[in-house]
Amino acid sequence: MPKGRQVRARWFCAALLLRAGSAGAAAFVPGAPEPDPPTGATGRVEPEIAVPVAGSGIRWEFAPPRWGGTLSLDARRLRLEDGSRSTQGLLYNDIEMATHVWQPWFIQLRAGAGLLAARDTATPADGASSTTARSLALTGRVALSVFPVSRFPFEFRAEVADSRAGGDTLGADFRTYRLGVTQAWRPESGGDSVNAALDYSRLESFSGIEDTVVTLRGTALRQLAAHSFELSGQLSRNDRSDSDDRTRIGLLNGRHTFHPAESLHVDTLASWSDLRLASGAGGSRFESRSDVRQLSSFATWRPREGDVLFRPDSPMYLTASVRLLDAGTATEGDLAFAEQRARAINGTLGASVELTREWRASGALSGGSVQIDGQPRSLNATGTGGLTWTPQGLAFGEWRYTPSLGASGSVTRSSQVTLRKAAGVQGNHGLSRTWMASETDSVSVNLTQSLGLLRESLTPDVTRALSHSASLYWQGAGDGASQSYAGLSVSDSRTWAQDSGRFQLINAQFSRRTQLTRHSSWNGNLTWQSARSDATQLDPFTGTLREAGVGWQRFYSGTLSYEHQRFLEVPRLRYALILAVNSQQLESRALGDVDAPLERITESLESRIDYSIGRLEARLSARLARVEGRSVAALFARVQRRY
């Protein structure tokens, strides 16, 4: 190729390369990128547009709510002790919503509403024709929390519920109206706190009976250097329409603790209680009220090295106490009125010295005054002293023997009674032993015997007392799949003086948790106690009067349950068998407990099957129970869908 033509070809190729390079470099030149076709995103950080907000940056707007709900279909059949029966069909739809204002830590809101449709058929025990009734009911609830995780959370709750929606009632159906307000506060540091709560609960049965409880309570705690202050109060009122019973309880307690040094401790308590009862059942009226005001202070001082009374070979323990009491009672009925009031003050100084490791001496002086309306004032002064010997236990093989002896005397002078002198001796000894039945099981046994003699100058006879007690305990952990505890204690105390008396106590406890298989387990706990006191006698061991009772007084409570999480080898099929007994009702609406039930269930045996598939749940249960002394048999079925 001629040289000129070669030069022109090179320039042509260079021009093409330069042009192509210029076009390709345009994608990398800084500037506004083209938007992505599917999304329109440019890949660059867009500037934020400031949105004006109200006060301090708070946006008063709700977050997107979270919705949920349940739709359930229930069938229930009851058979009462008198032979009457009732059948109930129920359709219940419940919707719930949860949201918050601005941020979850600022204001949280939950609300729900439900619609209930019921069909009830009642068959009397006398064989009369059945009656059928249909009803509709609304339920609802709302909960508002302000600063829920802060130092000063506030909560408001309101609810209208129907016992039929729960499916576990055995007695009369009722509607519940609840209202609650709580406020708490604590500082940024320290242990101070303030809490206040107001609760309102009204149970309204379909027969027209109403039971209303209103409770206001509060607590406050303040810690300041060596001082600690506690204050608590409660005011509750209960009204019941069927018996026209009314109860009002007021409680106020204050406590001050002063602990400036390890050796000195002062505890001061102040309390006020006011109880008012009223009843108008049967057309008659009866009212009673009682109030008690107390102020007591108790101080202890154990001299340490450098203190005046410190003796390294004879440690000393000093106590002082003072108590003021003002109590009154009043009863008023249609025909009579009675009122009485008593005031008392008492002070005590005591000292205890450890003479040796085995010997200890103690003494105390006390004086007081008692004033009862309509009676002369009574003044009294008492001096007591005692000496005890408690040696170290002795070992006899695997057994351990622990003896103890003591002697005491007292002199009392009162404005109402001549000089009273008393002297007594006490002695007791015990045997104990622990066996290791296996590496994880142990058995302990304790045997104790006590003897006491007391002689008073005002009585010619010597009061004698003899008591025996025995206890047996077992603890076991099995192979790691079970934990067990069982205990049995028996005591018998007999007193001989002008009249003979006897006090007996039996207590049994059992608790066990066992994992039978991978999916099954059973749990049980039981407490049973029985006591009997035959006569009112002066106890030589404690110097107090033991009141007589009428026969054996029994108390029992416990639960026993079996659970299988894969019943009949079907996934998500659960079975439960639950037995519960309780001879006493610890919860009481008359005492201001808003969560206490309207009717008491003392015995219950329930067999239950649950099955779930996704959001669909089903339950079938059979139950035998004793409600307010009446036997009830129930069969219950439910199908529920969550959404």
Side-chain angles (χ1 to χ4, degrees):
M1 180 182 293
K3 184 176 180 180
R5 186 173 294 179
Q6 293 179 357
V7 172
R8 287 194 299 270
R10 290 176 181 176
W11 279 104
F12 180 75
C13 292
L16 290 177
L17 291 174
L18 288 174
R19 185 172 181 177
S22 175
F28 305 96
V29 175
E34 296 182 359
D36 181 69
T39 63
T42 61
R44 65 179 180 179
V45 178
E46 301 290 342
E48 294 186 1
I49 301 176
V51 178
V53 293
S56 304
I58 300 176
R59 297 183 179 179
W60 295 98
E61 58 185 18
F62 288 102
R66 301 182 303 275
W67 295 92
T70 59
L71 178 63
S72 59
L73 179 63
D74 298 354
R76 183 180 67 168
R77 183 176 178 84
L78 297 179
R79 183 180 180 88
L80 305 182
E81 187 178 45
D82 58 0
S84 60
R85 303 183 304 275
S86 66
T87 304
Q88 185 181 88
L90 185 73
L91 179 63
Y92 182 60
N93 185 31
D94 182 77
I95 301 176
E96 187 175 47
M97 179 271 295
T99 183
H100 62 269
V101 177
W102 186 34
Q103 298 290 342
W105 54 263
F106 183 53
I107 297 178
Q108 295 181 1
L109 177 65
R110 300 180 68 93
L115 176 62
L116 181 148
R119 182 180 185 273
D120 298 273
T121 301
T123 304
D126 55 5
S129 60
S130 301
T131 59
T132 301
R134 294 176 175 84
S135 60
L136 292 175
L138 294 175
T139 63
R141 59 195 176 277
V142 62
L144 176 68
S145 299
V146 181
F147 301 119
V149 293
S150 68
R151 297 182 291 108
F152 37 86
F154 170 83
E155 185 177 6
F156 170 83
R157 305 174 307 277
E159 181 181 13
V160 178
D162 196 299
S163 64
R164 296 173 294 179
D168 55 356
T169 58
L170 296 175
D173 294 324
F174 57 89
R175 290 179 62 82
T176 304
Y177 303 87
R178 291 287 300 268
L179 179 67
V181 179
T182 59
Q183 176 69 68
W185 174 86
R186 60 178 177 83
E188 294 183 0
S189 61
D192 301 348
S193 64
V194 177
N195 296 273
L198 172 65
D199 287 299
Y200 170 87
S201 171
R202 179 162 61 93
L203 304 182
E204 182 179 323
S205 68
F206 294 148
S207 59
I209 299 176
E210 294 184 3
D211 190 303
T212 305
V213 177
V214 181
T215 300
L216 175 64
R217 60 184 184 276
T219 60
L221 175 63
R222 173 68 170 164
Q223 294 182 349
L224 184 62
H227 299 269
S228 176
F229 302 89
E230 297 180 32
L231 181 65
S232 63
Q234 176 178 332
L235 181 62
S236 64
R237 180 184 175 94
N238 173 242
D239 296 89
R240 186 158 180 150
S241 62
D242 58 337
S243 58
D244 200 20
D245 291 345
R246 300 183 303 277
T247 304
R248 199 194 76 171
I249 300 176
L251 302 172
L252 184 62
N253 297 285
R255 179 175 181 177
H256 170 242
T257 301
F258 180 55
H259 196 29
E262 186 179 356
S263 59
L264 179 62
H265 188 93
V266 182
D267 206 350
T268 303
L269 301 174
S271 64
W272 169 81
S273 64
D274 182 83
L275 173 62
R276 301 191 180 188
L277 306 175
S279 177
S284 61
R285 184 178 61 89
F286 173 80
E287 295 183 4
S288 69
R289 65 178 184 270
S290 62
D291 65 282
V292 179
R293 290 173 286 183
Q294 296 186 75
L295 177 63
S296 62
S297 184
F298 184 76
T300 61
W301 180 47
R302 184 186 295 272
R304 304 290 180 177
E305 186 175 359
D307 295 337
V308 178
L309 300 178
F310 175 72
R311 298 291 185 274
D313 53 344
S314 299
M316 180 177 292
Y317 189 71
L318 303 177
T319 61
S321 66
V322 61
R323 182 185 181 191
L324 290 83
L325 174 67
D326 183 7
T329 61
T331 58
E332 182 178 0
D334 293 333
L335 302 176
F337 174 80
E339 184 176 10
Q340 190 174 52
R341 192 157 203 90
R343 302 171 182 86
I345 181 173
N346 179 268
T348 303
L349 291 174
S352 176
V353 180
E354 187 176 319
L355 304 177
T356 65
R357 295 178 61 89
E358 300 177 348
W359 291 91
R360 178 180 291 272
S362 61
L365 295 174
S366 64
S369 170
V370 178
Q371 175 67 60
I372 302 177
D373 290 346
Q375 301 181 16
R377 180 186 301 271
S378 174
L379 303 176
N380 63 83
T382 303
T384 61
L387 185 66
T388 59
W389 174 68
T390 307
Q392 294 183 351
L394 304 177
F396 297 96
E398 298 294 332
W399 292 87
R400 185 171 182 81
Y401 177 73
T402 54
S404 173
L405 293 175
S408 62
S410 65
V411 177
T412 302
R413 180 176 291 277
S414 172
S415 58
Q416 303 295 326
V417 183
T418 59
L419 186 66
R420 172 179 174 267
K421 300 178 182 179
V425 293
Q426 307 88 30
N428 67 79
H429 57 148
L431 280 173
S432 62
R433 181 179 176 178
T434 300
W435 290 271
M436 294 301 300
S438 64
E439 294 182 355
T440 57
D441 295 348
S442 64
V443 179
S444 302
V445 61
N446 297 276
L447 304 173
T448 305
Q449 184 184 53
S450 302
L451 174 66
L453 301 174
L454 179 65
R455 175 64 185 268
E456 286 188 297
S457 59
L458 302 181
T459 57
D461 298 330
V462 176
T463 302
R464 298 164 295 161
L466 179 65
S467 68
H468 297 84
S469 64
S471 60
L472 180 66
Y473 303 100
W474 169 63
Q475 289 183 340
D479 54 358
S482 64
Q483 295 180 349
S484 306
Y485 170 81
L488 175 65
S489 60
V490 180
S491 65
D492 179 271
S493 180
R494 300 171 185 264
T495 305
W496 298 273
Q498 295 180 349
D499 296 318
S500 298
R502 180 175 58 181
F503 177 77
Q504 295 172 311
L505 176 67
I506 303 175
N507 181 275
Q509 298 182 16
F510 172 78
S511 175
R512 184 175 177 88
R513 177 182 177 86
T514 302
Q515 190 73 31
L516 300 175
T517 64
R518 179 183 177 184
H519 299 104
S520 62
S521 64
W522 73 273
N523 306 294
N525 63 83
L526 176 66
T527 299
W528 181 84
Q529 180 173 298
S530 182
R532 181 176 68 173
S533 180
D534 291 343
T536 302
Q537 291 291 334
L538 183 67
D539 189 352
F541 301 111
T542 62
T544 60
L545 287 176
R546 181 182 294 128
E547 296 296 332
V550 181
W552 287 95
Q553 304 295 322
R554 296 177 177 86
F555 166 78
Y556 57 86
S557 66
T559 59
L560 181 65
S561 63
Y562 169 79
E563 296 181 358
H564 200 295
Q565 301 298 323
R566 194 183 177 95
F567 188 54
L568 300 177
E569 297 302 324
V570 178
R572 298 179 301 277
L573 183 64
R574 304 181 303 276
Y575 174 75
L577 181 64
I578 304 172
L579 172 66
V581 294
N582 192 350
S583 62
Q584 294 182 348
Q585 183 179 3
L586 302 180
E587 307 88 359
S588 174
R589 296 181 63 86
L591 299 180
D593 189 350
V594 295
D595 297 318
L598 184 62
E599 297 179 317
R600 183 167 64 103
I601 300 177
T602 56
E603 301 170 8
S604 173
L605 175 62
E606 181 180 10
S607 180
R608 186 174 66 214
I609 297 177
D610 294 279
Y611 185 63
S612 61
I613 304 177
R615 296 187 176 185
L616 184 63
E617 301 174 355
R619 168 174 292 187
L620 178 63
S621 69
R623 190 175 182 185
L624 297 174
R626 181 167 290 274
V627 182
E628 294 291 341
R630 305 183 306 270
S631 298
V632 179
L635 185 63
F636 175 78
R638 163 175 287 183
V639 178
Q640 179 174 275
R641 172 68 162 83
R642 299 184 182 274
Y643 58 88

